[in-house]
Amino acid sequence: HVQLVESGGGSVQVGGSLRLSCAASGLTYSRYCMGWFRQAPGKEREWVAHIISDGRPAVADSLKGRFTISQASTNYTVYLQMNRLKPEDTAMYYCAAGYGGSVHPDAYNYWGQGTQVTVS
């Protein structure tokens, strides 16, 4: 049973930082690409970043320099460090697992329930 559990969301002031965590269980971690997506009300789900099984990260161009994705090698946890947050970063943030690096939500097999980030 695959489970992805996000944590770390919350309310933060403009310019602040948050670190989201995604704890994965029930999957062979080394075979999966772990991604972060976000979805604001009335908008489509948007790819934020992913990290593939060999540890190579990728971040959306519009977020580079502010967002960083990383993984813990020992406890199947993926992190999204978000700095200099802006109101437009307000969204539900989702963790996902799939095969191969992709920016398309359909390429991911498993999803967490999401964690809300509000920037004001």
Side-chain angles (χ1 to χ4, degrees):
H1 175 65
V2 176
Q3 191 171 21
L4 304 177
V5 179
E6 303 98 334
S7 61
S11 296
V12 64
Q13 291 184 338
V14 172
S17 299
L18 284 174
R19 189 176 80 156
L20 306 184
S21 299
C22 172
S25 61
L27 52 76
T28 305
Y29 195 57
S30 61
R31 297 180 183 177
Y32 280 86
C33 170
M34 302 297 295
W36 285 98
F37 289 77
R38 67 185 184 183
Q39 189 167 19
K43 295 189 176 181
E44 293 186 352
R45 193 162 292 192
E46 174 189 20
W47 173 73
V48 173
H50 67 241
I51 189 162
I52 62 177
S53 56
D54 64 1
R56 280 181 289 165
V59 178
D61 287 344
S62 62
L63 301 175
K64 285 180 181 176
R66 296 195 300 121
F67 287 23
T68 304
I69 187 170
S70 61
Q71 63 183 13
S73 59
T74 57
N75 61 357
Y76 292 11
T77 300
V78 176
Y79 304 100
L80 183 69
Q81 178 67 43
M82 306 184 296
N83 299 326
R84 301 195 303 280
L85 284 162
K86 304 175 181 180
E88 51 264 44
D89 294 319
T90 295
M92 185 71 79
Y93 283 72
Y94 297 92
C95 176
Y99 293 106
S102 176
V103 303
H104 300 292
D106 291 347
Y108 290 79
N109 306 92
Y110 304 103
W111 291 84
Q113 293 299 307
T115 185
Q116 177 68 38
V117 171
T118 303
V119 185
S120 61

